[in-house]
Amino acid sequence: MKQWFATLLLVTLVLSCVFLESTATEDSSYCGKMCGVRCSKAGLKKRCLKYCGICCEACKCVPSGTYGNKSECPCYRDKLNSKGNPKCP
């Protein structure tokens, strides 16, 4: 009985890790793609991609285009940095 329970526990752990990894990969690829478009014309592309990625992970959306359109994603629009300026590019 103990061996059966240990095997079941191990299989459950492996399956949950695989599921969580695939979910994280899907979110990352979405954010990477959308932020790549958003930051394509940015002067400081690395910084734009960094903050866009942070905002995308938190908000699960990125406004369309390379600038503006922030009304499409209120969470993205309303994020502020410590100085009270918009955090998301």
Side-chain angles (χ1 to χ4, degrees), residues 40-54:
S40 64
K41 294 184 179 179
L44 300 171
K45 194 167 187 169
K46 278 188 175 182
R47 185 188 307 180
C48 182
L49 289 170
K50 174 185 175 183
Y51 288 107
C52 180
I54 291 170

Side-chain angles (χ1 to χ4, degrees), residues 15-81:
L15 289 176
S16 65
C17 288
V18 168
F19 175 74
L20 290 175
E21 184 178 329
S22 68
T23 303
T25 304
E26 289 171 11
D27 289 344
S28 297
S29 65
Y30 168 78
C31 289
K33 179 181 174 187
M34 296 303 289
C35 288
V37 171
R38 183 83 179 163
C39 298
S40 64
K41 294 184 179 179
L44 300 171
K45 194 167 187 169
K46 278 188 175 182
R47 185 188 307 180
C48 182
L49 289 170
K50 174 185 175 183
Y51 288 107
C52 180
I54 291 170
C55 295
C56 179
E57 292 292 329
C59 298
K60 306 292 186 231
C61 65
V62 176
S64 62
T66 57
Y67 186 79
N69 303 324
K70 288 187 176 182
S71 60
E72 295 175 0
C73 185
C75 171
Y76 191 96
R77 175 192 65 212
D78 297 338
K79 284 205 166 298
L80 302 175
N81 64 16

